[in-house]
Amino acid sequence: MTTTFDLKGPGRQRPFATAMAERPVMVLLGVFVIFYLVAAMFDHSLLTIQGARGILLLACPLAMFAGAQTICMLTGGIDMSVSMIATFAAYIVVDQMGGGVVWALLAGLLVGAGIGAVNGIGVGVFKVSAMIMTLGMQSVLLGVITVGAGASGFLDGSRGLPDIIKTLGTGSVGPIPANTFLLIGMSVLLVWGLSRTGLGRNLYAVGDNPIACRLAGIRVWQVLIATYAVAGVLAAIGGMLIAGMNGSVGPDMANIYLLPSVAAAVVGGTSVMGGIGGFGGTVVGALILTVLNRLLLTFDTSEAMRQFIYGLIVLGLAWVYSRLTGAKARS
């Protein structure tokens, strides 16, 4: 009789799988460095200061959108309206410039928070699927922007952008893009908020087991409204940054960020099933996808092909992380 030994049984996970499940940010940083060096073999400009600056500049708005996806996915949801919230908020900022820069920026953030709160009410109070609710909001906002920026003209995008948005969109402090400092500040705030505040801990709890949360006395609907409101604010900030980079506001300026924002969150280790993830990994995921996009542009890949690749990344990594987290739970 021959005896066989299972070297991959419970308690003997592969080192890489264990690291991905327990320390995703450190592993992702290593992946980013390796991937960056590989991409630099095909695009030598990445080895220059300007090349690295370009990656940081483009990664910031993507990280904002991906941050919105991250906090929604932690509750088991998703926000498919981030691109239209971003565009609408940017239009509001430009439209409200007559009231001063401070009011215009505040109005854009308030609009983002308000639209996000409506999403949260639909998901948390009326129990609408997050996918359906936010896709519906995406369509509504698309109609409002199309009509408002068209013949009706109640959204006036002809005013100039505030100088602060232009500076954040394209300016630098030395070799470092100005928006990188904004991203660092938002990263510190979100990482601290997710780990140290009651709302942050409740996000994980709701995503892990909403029924248990209700039995424990947590008002899940309030958590969801706050979650989607914060996601709306992050989307609005992302929209302002894109407007600053483009130098103008357009109806479809943020559309290409929708699927990559989901992909960046998933690459960063956030589970689409809820309860697992964090903003630190999402930022690294946004950097990885920005380098990937730069590499695909080097190969003259079409936008349709890039979206196809992002979709494959989401599907593939969603499966991988579900296997890894499942293995961790069984060990």
Side-chain angles (χ1 to χ4, degrees):
M1 183 176 65
T2 302
T3 303
T4 59
F5 298 91
D6 182 7
L7 298 180
K8 296 180 181 179
R12 297 187 64 87
Q13 296 182 51
R14 290 169 297 178
F16 182 77
T18 302
M20 281 299 295
E22 297 180 354
R23 295 180 295 275
V25 176
M26 297 303 296
V27 174
L28 285 168
L29 282 172
V31 171
F32 168 69
V33 171
I34 294 172
F35 189 58
Y36 191 94
L37 294 176
V38 171
M41 295 173 60
F42 299 95
D43 184 356
H44 299 303
S45 66
L46 291 175
L47 297 176
T48 66
I49 293 178
Q50 287 302 315
R53 177 186 179 278
I55 295 297
L56 291 174
L57 185 71
L58 295 173
C60 185
L62 176 57
M64 293 296 175
F65 290 129
Q69 301 292 2
T70 296
I71 62 173
C72 293
M73 292 165 84
L74 287 175
T75 66
I78 196 170
D79 192 344
M80 303 301 290
S81 63
V82 290
S83 60
M84 283 296 111
I85 292 177
T87 302
F88 190 66
Y91 266 109
I92 292 298
V93 170
V94 175
D95 186 69
Q96 295 297 310
M97 275 298 291
V101 174
V102 175
W103 164 246
L105 295 175
L106 181 60
L109 295 176
L110 288 175
V111 164
I115 297 173
V118 173
N119 281 334
I121 291 172
V123 175
V125 177
F126 295 103
K127 310 302 180 185
V128 181
S129 164
M131 176 76 75
I132 300 301
M133 181 66 204
T134 55
L135 276 176
M137 182 60 73
Q138 176 92 338
S139 298
V140 169
L141 292 176
L142 175 61
V144 171
I145 292 170
T146 301
V147 173
S152 298
F154 61 85
L155 288 179
D156 184 7
S158 64
R159 301 176 188 270
L161 288 168
D163 290 337
I164 187 173
I165 289 183
K166 294 179 181 178
T167 299
L168 286 174
T170 60
S172 297
V173 179
I176 303 175
N179 64 12
T180 301
F181 294 98
L182 175 63
L183 177 59
I184 292 172
M186 291 301 300
S187 298
V188 172
L189 181 61
L190 285 173
V191 170
W192 174 82
L194 288 173
S195 61
R196 300 295 183 180
T197 66
L199 175 61
R201 290 190 290 269
N202 285 339
L203 291 181
Y204 288 95
V206 169
D208 186 57
N209 194 329
I211 296 176
C213 289
R214 293 190 184 95
L215 294 176
I218 297 175
R219 293 182 175 87
V220 175
W221 63 274
Q222 292 183 355
V223 174
L224 291 174
I225 291 174
T227 297
Y228 282 88
V230 173
V233 171
L234 290 173
I237 295 173
M240 295 177 196
L241 292 177
I242 295 171
M245 288 169 52
N246 295 341
S248 62
V249 180
D252 58 353
M253 68 177 194
N255 288 351
I256 61 173
Y257 287 87
L258 179 56
L259 187 53
S261 70
V262 178
V266 174
V267 168
T270 300
S271 170
V272 295
M273 304 303 293
I276 298 173
F279 189 68
T282 295
V283 172
V284 183
L287 288 168
I288 291 173
L289 283 191
T290 303
V291 175
L292 173 61
N293 186 67
R294 179 70 168 265
L295 185 60
L296 293 175
L297 287 174
T298 301
F299 293 145
D300 198 24
T301 307
S302 67
E303 177 60 30
M305 180 56 68
R306 293 199 295 273
Q307 294 294 318
F308 174 74
I309 292 173
Y310 295 143
L312 288 180
I313 290 172
V314 172
L315 293 175
L317 286 178
W319 178 82
V320 169
Y321 282 126
S322 67
R323 293 294 299 271
L324 291 177
T325 54
K328 181 182 177 183
R330 292 192 299 271
S331 62

